[in-house]
Amino acid sequence: MAPPNLQTSSGPINTADSNEEYARVNWDALGFGVIPTDFMYVMKCSKEGDFLHGNLTPYGNIELSPSAGVLNYGQGLFEGLKAYRKEDGGIQLFRVDQNALRMKMGAERLCMPSPSVDQFIHAVKQTVLANKRWVPPPGKGALYLRPMLLGTGAVLGLAPAPEYTFLIFAAPVGNYHKDRAALNLYVEDKLHRAIPGGTGGVKSITNYSPVFLAQSHAKAKGFSDVIFLDSVNGKYVEETSACNIFIVKDNVLSTPAIQGTILPGITRNSVIELVTSFGYQVEERLIPVEDLLEADEAFCTGTAMIVNPIGSITYQGKRVEYRRGQEALAQKLYEAVVGIQTGLVEDNKGWTLQLN
């Protein structure tokens, strides 16, 4: 299970109970869902204090006051990242420092204390090593990690919570979309995901349930997901329910500019840095929906899906299909990113962190 130097709230983890290299999971049938693992990481602090000492604890339910800030006022953030097992058996993380920095940015927006970058990385490493047997074999998936920062202190009046909990749990996952099928997206022009000056640019927990209505309507019509437009003009592409979007026209790759309503995705940033090696120019700009309709290719990026092609979009009754397949840029970028994440491609950018 976990190396003997890891600490839980009750002392060192005893690894003598299990010699299993892998948990008993059908790795070939792995999807994207909750599979309880062995341990989670918990660290607390007060509003005026700092996060100091965290511990591993057996995975399980947590206890909250009914008046916890996160339950009453949505004061909470989360991150998502993955640990991969390499061909030599080693385990590595991908750009974990960027998740830590993004959480700090979100915590400032929501008036929350946050772990330091070093504390965040240490906690992630501890969680992975404690759940090492749940990291899928090479090529079978990844161990998904969900760090959360929650206002868990009791509060009744509208104010920041008096106590905060940093928690990480993990689950083995496969592809977010089965077999990485090309997405069939609907452009939503009535409901909006984010507004200028709001929290669309941070991973606030309050950003996600508001997309459910538009998403459920789209899925009821047979679409994979929705693309949201800006809330001011109603004509510029922003992002889907939970991932960034790119379009390709000739040799130019374009993605909506980060202006406070779009999440600065870590996979998004990685794609922007990698794509010039394929001979493409990159533009971060306002993208009118007309440019989306006229693109040669389109794809989405995110931690869960990595890089996933868009097969078609439908806007006001007009359906447009895009280039996809082995020669598409989306496939080349997917292979490049996954290659670095899994150790099959040399990491020349210092993005990966080896755990053993």
Side-chain angles (χ1 to χ4, degrees):
M1 293 169 66
N5 63 330
L6 299 182
Q7 296 285 319
T8 68
S9 55
S10 58
I13 295 173
N14 184 355
T15 63
D17 295 337
S18 174
N19 293 317
E20 292 180 326
E21 182 180 5
Y22 292 108
R24 297 179 184 178
V25 174
N26 182 354
W27 303 111
D28 292 320
L30 202 57
F32 197 94
V34 177
I35 297 177
T37 53
D38 295 324
F39 295 98
M40 59 187 187
Y41 187 95
V42 180
M43 182 165 56
K44 296 179 181 289
C45 85
S46 66
K47 182 171 65 175
E48 294 81 15
D50 296 317
F51 284 98
L52 296 176
H53 303 292
N55 290 293
L56 292 161
T57 187
Y59 178 91
N61 294 339
I62 61 174
E63 186 175 296
L64 284 177
S65 165
S67 55
V70 66
L71 297 181
N72 290 265
Y73 300 118
Q75 194 184 21
L77 299 161
F78 74 87
E79 280 294 326
L81 66 154
K82 293 175 178 175
Y84 293 87
R85 194 182 299 270
K86 301 189 298 179
E87 292 290 344
D88 63 6
I91 296 172
Q92 66 181 20
L93 298 166
F94 180 74
R95 306 198 75 175
V96 60
D97 59 317
Q98 297 302 300
N99 294 97
L101 290 168
R102 190 168 63 181
M103 177 168 276
K104 288 183 72 66
M105 180 179 70
E108 182 177 345
R109 177 64 177 83
L110 299 187
C111 296
M112 307 167 75
S114 65
S116 69
V117 171
D118 287 344
Q119 286 176 320
F120 185 102
I121 294 174
H122 173 77
V124 169
K125 289 166 65 176
Q126 293 279 298
T127 307
V128 174
L129 293 173
N131 294 294
K132 184 177 179 179
R133 69 194 187 105
W134 297 93
V135 182
K140 300 295 185 180
L143 184 69
Y144 181 84
L145 296 126
R146 174 60 63 84
M148 297 186 293
L149 183 59
L150 309 172
T152 46
V155 59
L156 189 59
L158 182 59
E163 182 181 271
Y164 295 88
T165 299
F166 175 64
L167 185 151
I168 306 176
F169 71 89
V173 298
N175 289 328
Y176 189 73
H177 295 287
K178 185 175 176 59
D179 300 322
R180 292 187 61 248
L183 303 177
N184 175 26
L185 302 181
Y186 176 81
V187 179
E188 173 58 55
D189 58 0
K190 304 272 190 311
L191 301 174
H192 298 285
R193 175 190 169 273
I195 60 172
T199 60
V202 299
K203 280 190 78 71
S204 169
I205 62 173
T206 57
N207 290 346
Y208 293 87
S209 58
V211 310
F212 292 164
L213 182 61
Q215 189 183 60
S216 62
H217 286 170
K219 289 189 174 183
K221 297 176 183 178
F223 295 99
S224 311
D225 205 340
V226 296
I227 296 173
F228 289 97
L229 302 178
D230 76 289
S231 62
V232 176
N233 301 289
K235 68 176 185 178
Y236 296 110
V237 174
E238 293 215 321
E239 59 181 272
T240 72
S241 298
C243 58
N244 298 120
I245 188 168
F246 288 80
I247 63 170
V248 181
K249 184 66 176 179
D250 299 324
N251 71 328
V252 179
L253 178 68
S254 301
T255 192
I258 300 296
Q259 296 181 336
T261 56
I262 296 170
L263 188 73
I266 294 165
T267 310
R268 172 190 182 275
N269 294 342
S270 303
V271 162
I272 289 171
E273 290 194 45
L274 290 171
V275 75
T276 54
S277 64
F278 294 99
Y280 286 79
Q281 301 174 35
V282 183
E283 294 181 347
E284 296 181 70
R285 62 178 175 88
L286 292 175
I287 298 180
V289 69
E290 291 78 13
D291 287 6
L292 175 65
L293 296 173
E294 295 173 1
D296 302 322
E297 183 183 343
F299 57 86
C300 293
T301 63
T303 297
M305 67 175 57
I306 309 174
V307 180
N308 206 105
I310 298 174
S312 69
I313 64 103
T314 299
Y315 174 61
Q316 296 183 344
K318 180 179 180 180
R319 176 186 167 100
V320 174
E321 295 190 355
Y322 299 108
R323 176 181 66 208
R324 55 188 187 271
Q326 291 299 312
E327 296 306 311
L329 179 61
Q331 181 62 26
K332 295 175 182 177
L333 287 167
Y334 172 80
E335 292 172 359
V337 174
V338 171
I340 295 172
Q341 290 175 332
T342 58
L344 295 175
V345 173
E346 184 179 358
D347 175 16
N348 295 318
K349 296 182 176 293
W351 286 349
T352 55
L353 176 63
Q354 311 298 319
L355 297 194
N356 56 347

